[in-house]
Amino acid sequence: DTAVSQTPKYLVTQMGNDKSIKCEQNLGHDTMYWYKQDSKKFLKIMFSYNNKELIINETVPNRFSPKSPDKAHLNLHINSLELGDSAVYFCASSQQGMGTEAFFGQGTRLTVV
Amino acid sequence: AQSVTQPGIHITVSEGASLELRCNYSYGATPYLFWYVQSPGQGLQLLLKYFSGDTLVQGIKGFEAEFKRSQSSFNLRKPSVHWSDAAEYFCAVGPGNQFYFGTGTSLTVIP
């Protein structure tokens, strides 16, 4: 029973296209995140949502737009994809409160050609 | 500002040898510290965490970590490495509902 699930696992697309990545968690957590992992394995937080409300929006291009229809889902839509967007995108969730850990999905490997 | 530094980018150890991965953090208040492991093509799995209390914490897969406030460190250790421990290891600091990761340490285990 997967706790944090992302779809798709792999995504290959051409420059200029628009794509979405979906994330769902069944842990009852109230906070969800999107992280980007680059080719050097560096993990950078992109967005954080708490109870469907955006609370962290790091310096991410406007082409990236998260959407949280409910607290169990956090989707990531990317417009006008660029080569530099190629990376692994991880969704994660946690329960708000000090000291709780984040649970991660398996990641979506996005390749822009 | 909070940050995490992992000095070793790549580490190679022999199977059966001991392991220590270093992590230094910068955070203004009481840190909440984590070690995660990422196997190839997988997501991140929590190894252990420190919130308060005993500064030596035990985790899964035989790992332990020691919090040293005076050194702002949270080093990960394992007395005897197995080939299946080859993976990427990340230290993170989480002041609540934000998690900031170090650059990771890639561990190679040779027979």
Side-chain angles (χ1 to χ4, degrees):
Chain A
D1 199 19
T2 306
V4 181
S5 59
Q6 301 177 225
T7 54
K9 188 168 183 178
Y10 299 97
L11 186 54
V12 181
T13 187
Q14 291 186 326
M15 278 196 304
N17 283 351
D18 303 338
K19 290 294 178 185
S20 292
I21 306 172
K22 295 186 176 182
C23 179
E24 176 182 5
Q25 56 96 2
N26 63 6
L27 297 168
H29 291 164
D30 56 10
T31 305
M32 296 185 72
Y33 314 80
W34 278 110
Y35 281 85
K36 179 180 180 180
Q37 186 175 48
D38 62 22
S39 59
K40 295 184 178 180
K41 302 289 187 180
F42 181 62
L43 274 161
K44 180 176 169 56
I45 189 166
M46 301 173 68
F47 302 103
S48 172
Y49 268 76
N50 178 258
N51 282 318
K52 304 193 299 174
E53 184 178 334
L54 181 65
I55 55 173
I56 294 175
N57 183 354
E58 294 290 317
T59 50
V60 176
N62 291 337
R63 299 181 294 102
F64 290 80
S65 54
K67 181 166 280 189
S68 181
D70 56 62
K71 73 174 192 177
H73 295 83
L74 179 62
N75 303 324
L76 183 65
H77 188 76
I78 315 170
N79 289 326
S80 303
L81 278 154
E82 301 177 357
L83 292 176
D85 297 332
S86 295
V88 181
Y89 292 84
F90 285 100
C91 177
S93 72
S94 71
Q95 185 61 31
Q96 187 180 19
M98 304 305 277
T100 56
E101 68 265 32
F103 291 76
F104 282 79
Q106 293 289 82
T108 295
R109 180 175 293 278
L110 171 65
T111 303
V112 183
V113 297
Chain B
Q2 50 270 28
S3 67
V4 177
T5 302
Q6 293 180 242
I9 298 177
H10 297 285
I11 289 181
T12 299
V13 299
S14 298
E15 191 169 15
S18 63
L19 172 70
E20 182 171 44
L21 302 182
R22 292 167 52 204
C23 172
N24 292 96
Y25 67 90
S26 173
Y27 185 63
T30 301
Y32 297 92
L33 295 159
F34 309 84
W35 275 99
Y36 283 86
V37 61
Q38 183 182 23
S39 298
Q42 301 297 312
L44 280 76
Q45 180 184 22
L46 181 72
L47 282 175
L48 45 76
K49 59 188 178 186
Y50 171 78
F51 298 153
S52 64
D54 192 348
T55 56
L56 184 64
V57 292
Q58 303 296 320
I60 62 171
K61 305 186 181 189
F63 285 92
E64 66 177 26
E66 186 170 14
F67 169 61
K68 293 186 177 180
R69 184 185 298 274
S70 61
Q71 299 177 18
S72 297
S73 70
F74 188 55
N75 295 345
L76 182 71
R77 300 194 293 249
K78 186 169 184 178
S80 178
V81 170
H82 188 261
W83 63 267
S84 60
D85 293 324
E88 194 84 18
Y89 291 81
F90 293 92
C91 182
V93 61
N97 55 7
Q98 302 179 33
F99 297 88
Y100 295 90
F101 286 82
T103 49
T105 298
S106 178
L107 175 66
T108 299
V109 180
I110 56 177

